[in-house]
Amino acid sequence: MTKSDPSSAPHADDKDDQVVSQYAWKADEYDARWAFYIEATVRETLRRTPLKSGQSLLDVGCGTGALLRALSKTHPDAKLTGIDPTREMLSLAGDRLPERVILKHGRAEDLPCEDKSFDVALSCNMFHYLREPMRALREFSRVLKPGGALVLTDWCHDYLACKLCHIYLSCFDPAHFTVYGTADCRELLTEAGFRDVEVERYKINWLWGMMTAKALSPA
Ligand SMILES: C[S@@+](CC[C@H](N)C(=O)[O-])C[C@H]1O[C@@H](n2cnc3c(N)ncnc32)[C@H](O)[C@@H]1O
């Protein structure tokens, strides 16, 4: 397997996308600036990811590839794919990941993947950016094999720090969209047809609260 070319044709939405513009601008400093946060959220996500030997996994919004890097060491025989709409983030991921990890330019709302092609689909620190979360969840469901596992890690609105951050970002950051709580997350996944939905919330330090949702795709 080889990496795809992150400089292939641009997505039609790119030029209008505030999130992509921000990450394109911040890509070079992303890993150093958010080192603690990336390390903690990748660790918590992987702890809850049911990937078995030889299985396939899709990381949507893979960014600079921290989670795929960790998985490529712990699961050398897994078939790993990362997708991200920000070419600058994807290019850094390409520099850091082994050749066997496939990287594709694309978005959660329109995944460039075959139906029923992954055992596990996950997303870490990305879901709150999606303007059309239900469309993305239907895409996750489409690309998962029947009974495949979905794992989503994101900020959690149940915590005061995230509530305050949401209010601040809503006023000052045009890329910001929303922050979900555990109940919203459970409701969205259930509405999208996922089953055995579990949402667990936790803190990664004294202040910041996250949640990880786990669910199975419709059989
Ligand atoms: C906070 S970074 C997280 C990167 C990585 N998952 C991590 O935890 O370090 C958010 C990532 O989501 C990507 N992203 C933004 N909008 C997206 C979309 N619609 N579909 C998929 N990824 C998206 C951004 O380009 C960025 O790389």
Side-chain angles (χ1 to χ4, degrees):
M1 290 190 282
T2 54
K3 291 173 201 167
S4 69
D5 175 10
S7 66
S8 57
H11 189 282
D13 297 343
D14 276 4
K15 63 180 168 31
D16 301 323
D17 193 323
Q18 299 272 7
V19 184
V20 169
S21 319
Q22 269 199 14
Y23 278 98
W25 187 61
K26 295 191 281 195
D28 282 339
E29 63 180 40
Y30 178 79
D31 282 357
R33 179 158 183 205
W34 300 105
F36 163 76
Y37 176 74
I38 297 168
E39 192 275 323
T41 55
V42 164
R43 184 185 64 236
E44 295 297 335
T45 305
L46 291 180
R47 185 180 287 171
R48 295 166 173 84
T49 299
L51 183 67
K52 297 194 188 109
S53 175
Q55 285 191 329
S56 52
L57 175 140
L58 174 68
D59 180 2
V60 181
C62 65
T64 56
L67 188 142
L68 292 170
R69 219 158 41 240
L71 273 181
S72 67
K73 291 177 191 150
T74 56
H75 292 69
D77 60 350
K79 300 174 191 79
L80 304 174
T81 303
I83 283 174
D84 202 284
T86 309
R87 292 171 194 289
E88 290 77 358
M89 298 289 273
L90 212 48
S91 167
L92 289 168
D95 293 342
R96 294 162 191 185
L97 286 165
E99 275 294 314
R100 68 184 184 85
V101 178
I102 296 174
L103 294 175
K104 293 185 182 178
H105 180 254
R107 295 168 180 270
E109 303 87 335
D110 190 11
L111 291 171
C113 307
E114 308 251 313
D115 294 359
K116 302 182 181 171
S117 47
F118 293 96
D119 296 293
V120 179
L122 62 74
S123 166
C124 186
N125 302 312
M126 184 282 288
F127 198 72
H128 64 280
Y129 285 120
L130 299 176
R131 269 59 181 169
E132 296 180 87
M134 193 50 67
R135 185 169 155 198
L137 287 175
R138 296 215 168 94
E139 278 294 272
F140 277 114
S141 173
R142 178 183 68 75
V143 304
L144 276 169
K145 295 178 185 175
L150 174 70
V151 181
L152 295 180
T153 293
D154 213 336
W155 301 357
C156 180
H157 194 267
D158 298 5
Y159 294 101
L160 180 63
C162 295
K163 286 192 209 312
L164 295 176
C165 193
H166 172 51
I167 294 169
Y168 175 83
L169 292 174
S170 300
C171 297
F172 298 111
D173 182 355
H176 183 68
F177 181 58
T178 194
V179 179
Y180 298 103
T182 48
D184 310 314
C185 189
R186 203 171 288 116
E187 202 176 305
L188 276 169
L189 292 177
T190 305
E191 194 186 329
F194 285 90
R195 59 192 173 86
D196 296 354
V197 177
E198 289 171 26
V199 188
E200 193 185 344
R201 69 180 181 202
Y202 49 87
K203 284 191 168 182
I204 54 170
N205 62 15
W206 63 272
L207 181 66
W208 199 252
M210 302 290 300
M211 61 184 170
T212 298
K214 278 170 58 176
L216 299 179
S217 73

